[in-house]
Each structure stands twice: as structure tokens, then as C-alpha cells.
Amino acid sequence: MYIDLPSEMRTNGQFRHLITELVKRIAFLEPKSQSDPGASDELNTCMIKLYHTCNQNAGFLVPYFFPRYPFEKPLSLSDRPFSYAMFHMQMGGYTVTRASRQIGKSTTYAARQLINAHILPTFKSIYVVPHPSFLDTYANRMRDMERSFRFYQQHKDYRQNLKFKEYPNKSQIYLIKCLTDTVEARSKTTDELLFDECQLLDTELLPDIEQCQKASRMPCTIYAGTSTTVESFLEINYQYSSKGIWVIPAPGYTSDSVGKGWLNCGDENDIIKAIHTDGFVNPATKQQLMVHKGHWVHQDRLKMEAGFIGFHIPQVIIPEYVYKPHKWREIIESYTKYRHNMKKFIQEILGIPTEEGQREITMKDLMRMCDDSLTYEQMKARAKKGYYSHVISGCDWGGSDYNP
């Protein structure tokens, strides 16, 4: 069952006390664990208890596992409270993250994979992305984080490659691409499938990839990316999910979608009303909105209970982007630049699809468009009679420097 950890910490005193005490105990035991086996055992017990208390969500353990990332200080989700949702372990069903650009998705998912590989013996996770360039970017990010991981060490008997990692507890992490075929997914088995940038994924490849998960006793599936069009694979899965939205307190304001006293950060109308040059403000009072005090509201509770959990993450719920003047100025500049084409701003900054569009054309798409029942001469005759609305020709130039 999904738990909104930041909201639970604010509203449930008993839960807050238990988590606080466990975190304090872990911090106390950590320096002692290097030389005291008893302290080391108790430390592991506390971490597992914290993990299970949060329903297999490792969000509160991130600072412990990454004590010096990225700027020689612990990595923490407290500055981005919405990120705890991305550590949720959903067995069966799926989790979908519909996000705008630049929300820290790669860092969060790399941390998730590394922590779960350490905590869960024999757990296998495959990160799937369509394009090689996306894969290289993620692999390099994970390598940087891996070197900052508290328990990072080279094992001569275990492979620690850029795109494949295995550990003494028999856990594994694969990073693969599947653009036009599933060659890199074949013969692999996994518990977790993490599809990133899946708005570009060729859905005909899915059955082959999903077979990797067939034998798992704890299957976890994650879809993530930016829905630029309403018919993308990512958007279809989000619409079928619980459709979680981040709502923040807005005293005096009445939202058409979530009612009085709240601002819906999944509604472009609410967001645009709150965008001002001097900050992200309450439309009713013009006071700064406290985005870090928001919480998730799931529009379809039945889907959430069934295990189909969705989250929408726009840039305006990131405290760093809203509270720091130079970062907010970047959003205002984007808003101004796209004022004649608001669809672009809504897609890229708010992460909300606005129109239909085309995904990348694949070899299979081209083959489906071909009609091999006609000869070249028959098609040429048709073209001369105006049968086709468009006749397109192309020239493949080999790139020679020869200039006669």
C-alpha cells in the first residue's frame, strides 16, 4: 500500500516519532559500526525496520547511502518532498511518473536502483530507455553516484561495468536500450522493469521486454518520462492510473479542480494564475506559495488501491526552482519566450500534454505503409493520373568530397 511519506510525517505523530527515533539511532550507530560488530548488527536492524515501516520505500535512507553526493554533503529528498513517491515499491500493477523536464528523475531512479540492490538480496532491476544517448547519460550519472555510494567497492569476482552491475548478495542492475528491437533484453530475467523516456517507446517491443519479468515473485514496473502528446504510451498509462497530483495550501483561493483553499499543480489553469515575475504566488492573496508543504491527492482511489499508481511532477513543485530567484527567473523566461506558443511551455515546464503528435517512425512503421501488391510501373501510372495526394522522392548522397 502506498504511503505519502512527507504528508504522513506532518499529520501522523506516532509515525513521525518512530521514524525520527530510527533516523537518530542510525546516525548514532553509524560511526560505531566501523569497529563494533554489535553496533553494525543493530544498525542493519534499524535500517531494515525503517525500510519496512515506510512500506519498502527507501526515501529516508538516501542521506545514509549517499553521504557525499553531489557536493560533499548528504543527498536528501527533504528539499524535494515529491521525490519520495519515486522510491515506492509497487508489487504488481505499475507506477507511472509523468514529469516535466529537469526534475531530477535520473538522480532519483539511479539512487533507487543502487539502494535496492544493496538492501534486497537477489533483487534484479533493468533500466530500459529507447535511445542510446539517453542510456549513456543515465549510465554516466549512475557511475558518478555509484562512486559516492557508502558501500562502493570494486569486487574482483563481480562485474561492475558501466551498464551491468552485480553484487555479492546476488543482486543485479542492467541498463539497456530498446529502440527498434529487443536484442539487449533477450535472455535476461528481472524483478523490476524501469522504463524511462517511455513516451518514445515502440509499444510493439513491450511483450518481449515484459517476458524478462515472467518468473519474478516481486514484479515491479515503472513508467517514466514527459508526456508531450495525449496519445503517447506514457500518457495512456498515466490516465489509467490513480492520477496523483501535488496540491499546495492556498488560503482564500478556490480551484475549479480541487476546491477551496488549495492550488492544483496538475492543472495548467491554476498554475498559470499563480505565475508572477516576483514568484509563484497565491492567486487570491499574492503571497508566496509553500510548495514544500504540498501533498499527493489521487484522483482515482480505486486505481490506487488496485496498484496502478500515477504521479504528475511539474517544475513548479520543486522548492529550489520556486524559492531561489535566479531559478524562478528561468521559469519566467521560458514563460515569456513561449507566450505565443503556450503549448510548448505547458508541455516542457508543466509536463502536461496538449495535443496529438507523432512518435519516432520505425522500420516497422515504414514496412506497414508499403504495398507490395503493386509493381513500380503500376504505381507510376497511378501517380501520373493524380491517384496519390503526395508523391515524394529522395536522393541518398554518399557524402563524397569529389567535385567534378
Side-chain angles (χ1 to χ4, degrees):
M1 183 66 181
Y2 168 70
I3 300 176
D4 184 352
L5 294 181
S7 177
E8 197 74 7
M9 286 288 286
R10 288 196 301 266
T11 61
N12 186 333
Q14 184 176 358
F15 180 82
R16 181 172 61 250
H17 175 74
L18 177 57
I19 296 299
T20 301
E21 291 303 310
L22 284 171
V23 169
K24 287 181 179 178
R25 191 62 182 168
I26 289 171
F28 173 76
L29 292 169
E30 192 279 323
K32 297 177 178 294
S33 64
Q34 306 299 320
S35 56
D36 183 349
S40 179
D41 290 343
E42 186 182 352
L43 175 64
N44 291 332
T45 300
C46 287
M47 285 197 298
I48 295 301
K49 184 175 181 180
L50 179 61
Y51 186 69
H52 288 306
T53 300
C54 297
N55 199 19
Q56 289 73 54
N57 186 314
F60 288 130
L61 292 171
V62 171
Y64 173 77
F65 282 104
F66 296 94
R68 294 184 179 86
Y69 185 88
F71 303 116
E72 294 299 314
K73 64 179 183 179
L75 178 64
S76 174
L77 304 185
S78 60
D79 294 335
R80 298 187 175 196
F82 62 85
S83 295
Y84 287 97
M86 298 166 72
F87 280 84
H88 174 63
M89 291 283 286
Q90 177 60 45
M91 309 296 179
Y94 61 70
T95 303
V96 56
T97 300
R98 182 182 76 169
S100 63
R101 309 290 183 188
Q102 303 300 317
I103 57 102
K105 177 162 54 69
S106 295
T107 298
T108 305
Y109 281 136
R112 172 196 171 100
Q113 284 188 293
L114 290 168
I115 292 174
N116 285 337
H118 181 83
I119 290 178
L120 303 173
T122 75
F123 187 73
K124 298 179 180 179
S125 177
I126 297 181
Y127 173 88
V128 186
V129 73
H131 282 276
S133 59
F134 298 155
L135 182 63
D136 291 341
T137 300
Y138 186 83
N140 289 326
R141 174 64 57 82
M142 177 172 278
R143 173 56 59 88
D144 289 342
M145 296 185 68
E146 185 179 33
R147 289 168 175 165
S148 300
F149 193 66
R150 178 178 290 275
F151 299 101
Y152 172 69
Q153 57 181 317
Q154 292 287 348
H155 299 278
K156 63 182 181 64
D157 297 325
Y158 299 93
R159 288 167 289 179
Q160 298 284 327
N161 303 327
L162 187 63
K163 298 172 184 176
F164 174 61
K165 307 172 193 304
E166 57 183 353
Y167 302 94
N169 66 355
K170 299 184 180 180
S171 291
Q172 295 178 349
I173 297 174
Y174 288 95
L175 311 180
I176 66 173
K177 70 176 189 307
C178 294
L179 179 59
T180 58
D181 57 53
T182 59
V183 172
E184 295 189 21
R186 289 173 190 161
S187 76
K188 293 180 175 62
T189 60
T190 190
D191 299 296
E192 178 176 80
L193 283 170
L194 201 172
F195 295 95
D196 198 5
E197 302 296 345
C198 67
Q199 73 276 6
L200 302 174
L201 186 69
D202 183 351
T203 55
E204 290 193 359
L205 304 179
L206 274 174
D208 282 352
I209 302 172
E210 290 170 344
Q211 287 303 307
C212 298
Q213 211 177 30
K214 190 75 172 179
S216 174
R217 294 177 298 173
M218 45 191 299
C220 301
T221 303
I222 301 169
Y223 303 117
T226 301
S227 285
T228 53
T229 59
V230 296
E231 84 286 1
S232 71
F233 174 67
L234 177 67
E235 184 61 20
I236 290 170
N237 279 285
Y238 178 76
Q239 293 300 330
Y240 186 77
S241 75
S242 63
K243 298 193 288 287
I245 51 175
W246 190 258
V247 299
I248 51 180
Y253 175 68
T254 300
S255 167
D256 292 336
S257 54
V258 293
K260 189 174 182 179
W262 299 96
L263 188 132
N264 179 1
C265 292
D267 183 343
E268 66 265 31
N269 294 318
D270 277 7
I271 295 173
I272 290 172
K273 289 177 186 177
I275 293 177
H276 288 262
T277 54
D278 53 350
F280 195 49
V281 301
N282 185 332
T285 65
K286 307 306 178 187
Q287 298 296 311
Q288 175 76 53
L289 289 165
M290 298 291 103
V291 296
H292 68 285
K293 293 185 178 180
H295 66 277
W296 291 109
V297 170
H298 292 269
Q299 300 173 80
D300 192 329
R301 298 287 300 183
L302 290 178
K303 289 288 176 59
M304 187 181 77
E305 292 169 4
F308 299 95
I309 303 176
F311 304 99
H312 172 67
I313 305 176
Q315 287 187 15
V316 293
I317 72 172
I318 301 177
E320 178 187 358
Y321 292 176
V322 172
Y323 299 154
K324 292 185 177 180
H326 71 284
K327 300 298 289 186
W328 180 250
R329 194 178 306 118
E330 293 176 5
I331 292 180
I332 291 297
E333 287 172 358
S334 297
Y335 181 75
T336 304
K337 180 169 66 174
Y338 299 132
R339 65 185 181 278
H340 299 304
N341 182 15
M342 285 305 296
K343 289 181 179 180
K344 190 70 173 175
F345 178 81
I346 292 170
Q347 289 171 355
E348 300 293 329
I349 309 301
L350 306 187
I352 301 172
T354 58
E355 60 186 13
E356 294 183 357
Q358 295 82 32
R359 61 176 171 81
E360 183 167 306
I361 295 176
T362 67
M363 181 66 74
K364 291 180 181 178
D365 293 327
L366 293 173
M367 292 173 67
R368 279 195 296 267
M369 288 187 281
C370 294
D371 184 356
D372 59 3
S373 66
L374 298 174
T375 66
Y376 169 74
E377 293 300 330
Q378 289 173 318
M379 289 188 286
K380 185 176 179 180
R382 282 187 171 188
K384 288 181 177 180
K385 293 178 181 178
Y387 177 83
Y388 301 109
S389 59
H390 293 83
V391 178
I392 302 168
S393 63
C395 177
D396 182 10
W397 177 57
S400 172
D401 292 331
Y402 176 67
N403 186 12

